[in-house]
């Protein structure tokens, strides 16, 4: 069987360095090429993350553009992307587990006031803080895809009241209250102390984490931001923290990455920063996604994991 040529496209990440070993395992069926690839008309697949703006125009016979993550907004927005070119997201069950662990760590840390204990340790102060019951700390989740379902279920299993919001109505789940639409969002926010953002980035969700939204949360709550950096209006977050409306924020994603050294987030005492590592697709999952796309292209099928470009996910 001839190997299907696939080009690596990224201005932000060394894709071969990150995924080379896993891609070598499928090298008998997929030929991995660096950009700019020779004989570009041969290339049928691309694996990309923030590709060069003019890259897609170089390869006229692309049949699929694969992401290295669950998020695909940077690929959908790539200039020159043919509107009918399938964009494929990675589906990695381990990502949901990793994200859930990350979110639970922050939720429980807020519930048990671990940051206060860290400050007490620094000051050599023995001060007992009697823990709040999980049932007294309502959590609201924006976004209810595969990862959102895992996070919500794990939080509910620990006794946290969980409310989720999505664009459309969802089915019933034990221990989880569902909301949808503008009215549902307003209701959920008013009942939320810890807000977890897991939304995809679309024109409708860009800038959704703003001052108006923060003003509708319970005072003294926290934000756990693991969606996309462009969801957050940064100045509004700083204002909400400085006013005391929000007690804290855990930020894993940013509009500009790496976060510039001069950014005010670094020095804010109520902000916890991690470098976009809440959950990463494994190299093996990326390679499996690419191989499945290659087999689909050979057989004339739509690759599994293809997103709805109109919805953005």
């Amino acid at each position: 069987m001839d190997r299907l040529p696939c080009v690596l496209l990224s201005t932000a990440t060394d894709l071969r360095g990150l995924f080379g070993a896993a891609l070598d395992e499928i090298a008998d069926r997929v030929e991995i090429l660096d950009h700019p690839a020779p004989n570009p008309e041969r290339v049928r697949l691309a694996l990309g993350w923030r590709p060069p703006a003019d890259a897609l125009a170089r390869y006229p016979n692309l049949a699929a553009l694969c992401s290295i993550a669950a998020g695909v907004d940077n690929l959908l927005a790539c200039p020159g992307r043919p509107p009918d070119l399938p964009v494929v997201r990675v589906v990695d069950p381990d990502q949901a587990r990793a994200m859930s662990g990350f979110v639970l760590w922050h939720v429980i840390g807020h519930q048990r006031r671990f940051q206060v204990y860290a400050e007490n340790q620094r000051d050599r102060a023995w001060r007992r803080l009697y823990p709040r019951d999980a049932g007294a700390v309502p959590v609201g989740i924006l976004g209810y895809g595969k990862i959102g379902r895992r996070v919500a279920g794990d939080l509910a299993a620990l006794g946290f009241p969980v409310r989720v919001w999505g664009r459309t109505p969802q089915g019933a789940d034990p221990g989880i209250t569902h909301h949808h639409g503008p009215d549902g969002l307003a209701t959920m926010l008013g009942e939320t102390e810890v807000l977890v953002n897991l939304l995809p980035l679309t024109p409708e969700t860009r800038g959704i984490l703003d001052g108006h939204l923060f003003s509708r949360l319970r005072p003294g709550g926290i934000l756990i931001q693991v969606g996309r950096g462009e969801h957050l209006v940064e100045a509004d977050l700083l204002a909400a923290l400085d006013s005391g409306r929000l007690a804290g924020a855990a930020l894993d994603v940013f509009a500009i990455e790496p976060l510039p050294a001069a950014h005010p987030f670094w020095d804010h005492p109520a902000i916890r920063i991690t470098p976009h590592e809440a959950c990463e697709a494994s190299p093996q999952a990326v390679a499996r996604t690419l191989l499945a796309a290659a087999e689909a292209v050979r057989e004339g099928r739509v690759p599994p994991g293809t997103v709805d470009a109109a919805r953005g996910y």
Side-chain angles (χ1 to χ4, degrees):
M1 180 185 296
D2 291 338
R3 297 188 300 163
L4 204 69
C6 171
V7 65
L8 305 179
L9 301 175
S10 181
T11 60
T13 302
D14 177 7
L15 298 181
R16 188 177 286 276
L18 281 175
F19 304 111
L23 296 176
D24 286 345
E25 297 177 6
I26 62 170
D28 59 330
R29 287 168 286 180
V30 180
E31 179 185 3
I32 303 299
L33 305 168
D34 293 313
H35 175 73
N39 303 316
E41 68 283 350
R42 292 183 56 243
V43 175
R44 300 287 285 146
L45 287 174
L47 180 67
W49 186 257
R50 301 189 186 280
D54 59 348
L56 296 181
R58 179 180 175 86
Y59 304 103
N61 295 317
L62 280 180
L65 173 59
C66 299
S67 178
I68 62 170
V72 295
D73 45 274
N74 72 93
L75 300 184
L76 291 172
C78 184
R81 181 185 69 83
D84 59 345
L85 177 63
V87 175
V88 180
R89 66 188 292 270
V90 174
V91 177
D92 183 357
D94 288 338
Q95 274 192 291
R97 180 174 60 190
M99 179 64 84
S100 184
F102 182 91
V103 171
L104 265 63
W105 190 86
H106 282 291
V107 173
I108 294 170
H110 171 72
Q111 173 215 357
R112 300 296 299 265
R113 291 172 281 194
F114 288 161
Q115 180 57 31
V116 178
Y117 281 123
E119 294 166 359
N120 289 348
Q121 180 178 345
R122 180 198 61 200
D123 298 336
R124 301 174 183 269
W126 183 274
R127 301 189 186 100
R128 297 185 68 185
L129 303 173
Y130 293 96
R132 300 168 67 196
D133 185 80
V137 184
V139 181
I141 299 175
L142 299 174
Y144 200 60
K146 288 183 172 62
I147 290 178
R149 286 181 170 84
R150 175 63 186 261
V151 173
D154 287 351
L155 284 166
L158 290 176
F160 292 95
V162 179
R163 296 157 175 83
V164 300
W165 179 82
R167 186 176 62 89
T168 58
Q170 302 287 337
D173 296 293
I176 298 169
T177 303
H178 289 270
H179 301 277
H180 70 278
D183 291 341
L185 178 60
T187 299
M188 187 192 81
L189 292 173
E191 300 170 346
T192 292
E193 179 173 329
V194 179
L195 182 68
V196 182
N197 177 42
L198 287 166
L199 288 168
L201 182 64
T202 68
E204 292 74 24
T205 64
R206 185 180 297 272
I208 190 172
L209 302 176
D210 62 5
H212 179 59
L213 181 144
F214 299 144
S215 71
R216 293 187 285 175
L217 292 169
R218 287 188 176 184
I222 67 167
L223 169 69
I224 302 174
Q225 158 63 329
V226 284
R228 288 288 178 267
E230 293 86 350
H231 287 137
L232 177 63
V233 179
E234 295 181 349
D236 288 5
L237 174 62
L238 290 170
L241 291 169
D242 292 342
S243 71
R245 182 72 198 186
L246 285 179
L251 309 179
D252 186 63
V253 293
F254 305 89
I256 299 175
E257 296 183 357
L259 188 67
H263 199 288
F265 284 172
W266 285 113
D267 296 319
H268 201 290
I271 293 177
R272 301 290 169 263
I273 291 172
T274 48
H276 202 151
E277 62 173 17
C279 71
E280 295 284 350
S282 70
Q284 292 72 26
V286 171
R288 287 195 301 268
T289 297
L290 187 62
L291 180 58
E295 292 174 346
V297 168
R298 282 196 185 95
E299 297 170 7
R301 298 183 285 106
V302 175
T306 295
V307 301
D308 183 335
R311 293 194 306 171
Y313 57 94

